[in-house]
Amino acid sequence: MNNATTLYCDLNAFSQKYETIHGQLSFVVCILGSIANVLNICVLTTKEMRWPTNMILTGLAISDLLVMLEYIPFTIHRYINIAGHKYIENYSYKWALFMIFHALFSQVFHFISCCLTVILAIWRYLAITNPHNSRRWCDAHRTIYAIMITYLVCPVICTPLFLSLKITAYNQTCDKHGRMLNKKELLNYTEVTTKKLIYIIDYVNEDYKYTSFWLYGVVIKLVPCILLTHLSRKLIVVLLETKKRRKTLLSSTLPLEDVYEVRPFFQKKFEKYRQADRTSGMLVAILLLFLITEFPQAIMGLLVGTKGQQFEKECYRPLGDVMDIIALTNSGINFILYCTMSRQFRITFKEIFLLPIMNQFAPSSQYANIDKTGEKTQISAV
């Protein structure tokens, strides 16, 4: 069997079934994910949370939020408004411009998320391995510069993607209401028909097409994934070594009465270590989830560049919606990670959103206020 008849994938049936639910599913994910990222930004930009790591997480939340907000009109146009696909209004020049904007906007801000995740891993690795110098190397000013440079440089790197797409006009046969007619319908169609222009997105040529796939598969996806894999492995190794050394230090031979006397000091140290462990664990979870999401896309883009049009048609296109929903879900669940692993995030979240509501509905004679730890302070009725 030669290459022309080799079947790489047989996913058309799966793709058609999943497409029927992708629109509603992605719409819900984008709405919930947008709300979650807005909450992230509100909490992470408070005065108590303005650490270099949280600044990077804020930049990451902004890029994820923009991707989700832009995906909402796209999914309404592409998946929810199915009846409109039969009419030429759905293929106007303005919608073609929007589809190009969607393709480029989503790739640019997804690339920004990749780069910020790499910076996040580097910052945390330096904070653990070289804590004294990292305060100078990764201070707030340098972190802001790194985020700004990422937002400026990533669109420049994606320039070939801007140049690879074009809008092509076609003459389409339709009825007097603008409903498009295919060749099979025209065989027995007896009413008046007209020809009108529709506009379709296409690649400039095959060279531009596969250059964009190489850029997508290697530069935008594979390189960040390789860097993150290496950094995640080193970060996990360092965390395990640090935890082992700390356990050895705390289990050293110290008289019981001495431990009792300095208990407040050790309690403060323990809490600091636990908070650092939770922060590091949260960041490792973010990195691993990012790798699970991005590595398959990197491999698929790379295979399209090497295997050609047949692989793209049989494998890449049918799985495009699945890769989209996985990426959108990953962008929306960071809020859950922050809440479950960061005590300071939970405290700040309560102060901003929950405590005002509780104070408003709590009887004034029973509770006067709620302190910053979220505990109720009871006073006697006047």
Side-chain angles (χ1 to χ4, degrees):
M1 185 178 294
N2 55 39
N3 292 334
T5 58
T6 299
L7 185 65
Y8 290 111
C9 306
D10 187 11
L11 299 171
N12 287 332
F14 166 79
S15 177
Q16 291 173 2
K17 289 181 180 179
Y18 176 72
E19 187 176 355
T20 59
I21 65 171
H22 177 73
Q24 293 79 0
L25 184 60
S26 60
F27 182 80
V28 172
V29 170
C30 286
I31 293 295
L32 296 179
S34 297
I35 296 172
N37 279 296
V38 169
L39 295 176
N40 284 339
I41 295 168
C42 292
V43 174
L44 293 174
T45 53
T46 58
K47 186 177 180 180
E48 298 81 3
M49 299 290 288
R50 290 176 191 170
W51 314 325
T53 297
N54 287 345
M55 291 178 180
I56 301 174
L57 291 173
T58 303
L60 192 60
I62 291 173
S63 63
D64 289 340
L65 174 63
L66 292 175
V67 169
M68 288 188 165
L69 289 177
E70 190 277 331
Y71 202 88
I72 292 174
F74 167 74
T75 195
I76 293 173
H77 172 72
R78 175 67 177 81
Y79 299 102
I80 297 178
N81 184 26
I82 298 177
H85 293 181
K86 300 178 181 179
Y87 293 85
I88 60 171
E89 289 83 2
N90 207 56
Y91 301 91
S92 66
Y93 187 78
K94 291 182 179 179
W95 274 117
L97 287 175
F98 173 78
M99 294 300 287
I100 287 184
F101 170 78
H102 163 74
L104 301 178
F105 185 90
S106 59
Q107 288 301 331
V108 167
F109 280 92
H110 225 70
F111 187 36
I112 290 173
S113 297
C114 294
C115 295
L116 289 178
T117 308
V118 173
I119 295 173
L120 182 66
I122 295 172
W123 255 235
R124 193 57 190 170
Y125 178 76
L126 292 175
I128 295 175
T129 58
N130 204 333
H132 298 292
N133 289 328
S134 68
R135 295 192 184 102
R136 178 169 53 88
W137 297 339
C138 308
D139 62 4
H141 292 292
R142 287 184 173 85
T143 301
I144 293 174
Y145 291 148
I147 296 171
M148 293 176 60
I149 290 172
T150 300
Y151 270 83
L152 293 174
V153 171
C154 286
V156 176
I157 296 177
C158 293
T159 300
L161 297 178
F162 288 80
L163 302 177
S164 64
L165 296 175
K166 66 175 182 178
I167 299 176
T168 304
Y170 291 97
N171 279 318
Q172 174 64 45
T173 303
C174 59
D175 62 14
K176 60 182 180 180
H177 301 293
R179 187 175 70 87
M180 297 186 296
L181 303 171
N182 56 38
K183 293 181 180 180
K184 187 176 181 180
E185 291 175 317
L186 286 172
L187 292 177
N188 300 318
Y189 195 80
T190 57
E191 298 183 15
V192 177
T193 62
T194 60
K195 286 187 177 293
K196 294 186 178 181
L197 288 177
I198 62 172
Y199 298 90
I200 306 296
I201 306 302
D202 199 359
Y203 289 97
V204 174
N205 54 46
E206 291 296 311
D207 293 335
Y208 275 93
K209 178 179 180 178
Y210 291 107
T211 299
S212 66
F213 272 109
W214 275 102
L215 176 67
Y216 169 83
V218 177
V219 178
I220 297 179
K221 298 293 183 180
L222 191 59
V223 171
C225 285
I226 292 174
L227 291 173
L228 280 178
T229 301
H230 179 66
L231 290 168
S232 299
R233 182 187 63 83
K234 292 179 72 67
L235 187 58
I236 293 172
V237 170
V238 170
L239 287 173
L240 293 176
E241 291 177 351
T242 303
K243 192 172 184 179
K244 185 178 179 181
R245 288 197 303 267
R246 187 188 310 152
K247 186 177 180 181
T248 302
L249 178 64
L250 294 176
S251 62
S252 61
T253 57
L254 185 65
L256 184 60
E257 59 273 13
D258 292 344
V259 175
Y260 183 81
E261 290 177 1
V262 297
R263 181 181 294 176
F265 170 77
F266 275 108
Q267 286 179 343
K268 184 180 289 187
K269 280 286 185 182
F270 294 159
E271 180 56 34
K272 182 179 180 181
Y273 290 148
R274 282 196 294 267
Q275 180 61 34
D277 288 342
R278 285 193 294 264
T279 302
S280 299
M282 176 188 68
L283 297 180
V284 169
I286 292 174
L287 298 180
L288 294 179
L289 285 173
F290 191 86
L291 286 174
I292 293 172
T293 302
E294 299 299 323
F295 242 133
Q297 297 184 42
I299 299 301
M300 292 293 288
L302 188 61
L303 287 174
V304 170
T306 56
K307 298 295 184 180
Q309 185 175 1
Q310 185 183 352
F311 183 87
E312 177 197 357
K313 182 179 179 181
E314 295 176 358
C315 302
Y316 184 83
R317 291 182 188 176
L319 293 176
D321 292 341
V322 176
M323 291 188 288
D324 280 353
I325 195 64
I326 292 174
L328 291 171
T329 303
N330 179 58
S331 298
I333 64 176
N334 287 339
F335 176 76
I336 300 174
L337 292 175
Y338 302 159
C339 285
T340 55
M341 292 188 174
S342 176
R343 180 174 175 271
Q344 184 61 45
F345 185 95
R346 294 194 301 272
I347 292 173
T348 307
F349 179 80
K350 290 177 183 177
E351 291 176 3
I352 297 176
F353 299 105
L354 299 183
L355 300 189
I357 298 175
M358 294 172 64
N359 282 330
Q360 182 177 359
F361 291 99
S364 58
S365 61
Q366 184 178 3
Y367 298 109
N369 56 43
I370 302 178
D371 63 16
K372 289 188 176 182
T373 62
E375 297 179 354
K376 297 176 180 178
T377 304
Q378 188 171 359
I379 62 173
S380 59
V382 178

